[in-house]
Amino acid sequence: IVSALRKDFSVVFAGNLGIAQSLDTIVDAAEKLQLYPEIRFYIVGSGSRASWLEQEISRRGLNNVKLTGRLPLSDMPALFSAASALMVTLNDDPILAYTIPSKLQAYLAVGRPVIACLNGEGARVIEASGAGVTCPAEDASALADSVLKLYAMPPKERDRLGELGRRYFSEHFESEKLVCALIEHFEAALLKHGRKKA
C-alpha cells in the first residue's frame, strides 16, 4: 500500500468508520473528483459503517476510493508519511465541534498536510498551525475543493505545511509538555489554595 500511496496523489483517512465521521461527505467529494484519476482516497480502518461504505463505493462505481480495512497500528507512521495528504472529517454537530479528534494529533506529528472537513476546535488547530486546509463539516463540494487546492500545490509547499504541523504538534501536544503544563497548573492551584488557608 505504501508504494501505491507514493504513486498517486493520495488522500488518507484513518480511524473509526462510524456515524460521527461523516463518511458520506467523503464519498460525495470522491464522486466529484472522478475526473482526476491521479487523486485517490485511501480509507483505513473499520467500524459500524464499513459495509455501508463498501456498498456505496460499489454502487457509485468509484474507482478513486480504496478501502484497506483495519491495519496494524505499527503500520500507521509509514502509511501516513507516504500520503500526499491526511484527511479528517466529522459531522456537523455542536458537541463534536468541541473535540479535537485524536487522529489529528497523529497527523500533525507525522508532518504531512492535513485536510480538515469539520467545525470548531479541530478546524481551529489546523488554522492555527498552518498545517493544511479546512472546510465546513458535511460540505462535500468544499472538501473536493480543498483536495484540489492541495493537489495543485507544488510538493515543496505541501511539505512546508506538513512541517508547520509537526512544529505545532511538538509545541502544543507532545506528552512531556502536556505533563509539565499539568504539573505547573496543579502547583499553582495548590499555592493559591494554601494562601487562602493562611
Side-chain angles (χ1 to χ4, degrees):
I1 186 172
V2 167
S3 57
L5 291 174
R6 290 206 173 104
K7 197 173 63 178
D8 302 320
F9 181 83
S10 51
V11 180
V12 169
F13 172 99
N16 184 42
L17 308 181
I19 302 286
Q21 281 69 43
S22 192
L23 300 172
D24 40 345
T25 306
I26 298 175
V27 173
D28 290 346
E31 193 165 39
K32 293 173 190 297
L33 294 171
Q34 280 188 295
L35 291 172
Y36 299 85
E38 55 284 3
I39 297 176
R40 286 187 185 274
F41 293 83
Y42 290 83
I43 300 178
V44 181
S46 62
S48 61
R49 297 201 80 201
S51 59
W52 172 85
L53 192 57
E54 197 169 352
Q55 288 162 18
E56 200 62 14
I57 289 162
S58 173
R59 186 180 73 78
R60 300 196 200 192
L62 299 178
N63 301 322
N64 57 346
V65 184
K66 304 288 176 199
L67 297 180
T68 70
R70 175 175 265 163
L71 296 174
L73 270 177
S74 56
D75 289 0
M76 292 302 114
L79 195 139
F80 288 176
S81 297
S84 306
L86 301 167
M87 177 172 60
V88 56
T89 55
L90 282 177
N91 286 348
D92 182 8
D93 180 323
I95 292 169
L96 293 174
Y98 289 107
T99 66
I100 298 173
S102 56
K103 76 172 115 202
L104 200 48
Q105 294 184 35
Y107 285 179
L108 292 171
V110 86
R112 299 306 299 142
V114 178
I115 299 165
C117 181
L118 41 72
N119 300 333
E121 280 301 293
R124 186 195 61 75
V125 164
I126 296 305
E127 283 159 12
S129 64
V133 289
T134 63
C135 61
E138 296 186 28
D139 190 334
S141 294
L143 177 56
D145 289 343
S146 296
V147 171
L148 285 175
K149 187 176 178 180
L150 278 185
Y151 172 64
M153 266 184 200
K156 273 189 177 174
E157 181 62 17
R158 289 199 296 268
D159 290 345
R160 193 183 71 83
L161 297 182
E163 199 43 57
L164 288 171
R166 200 195 321 253
R167 201 176 302 161
Y168 189 89
F169 172 82
S170 67
E171 285 170 9
H172 294 87
F173 290 123
E174 241 171 358
S175 56
E176 282 179 16
K177 292 198 168 130
L178 287 175
V179 169
C180 289
L182 206 56
I183 290 167
E184 282 171 20
H185 173 75
F186 281 129
E187 283 174 347
L190 285 168
L191 280 170
K192 199 173 173 185
H193 187 68
R195 278 199 209 104
K196 276 183 186 170
K197 273 191 170 175

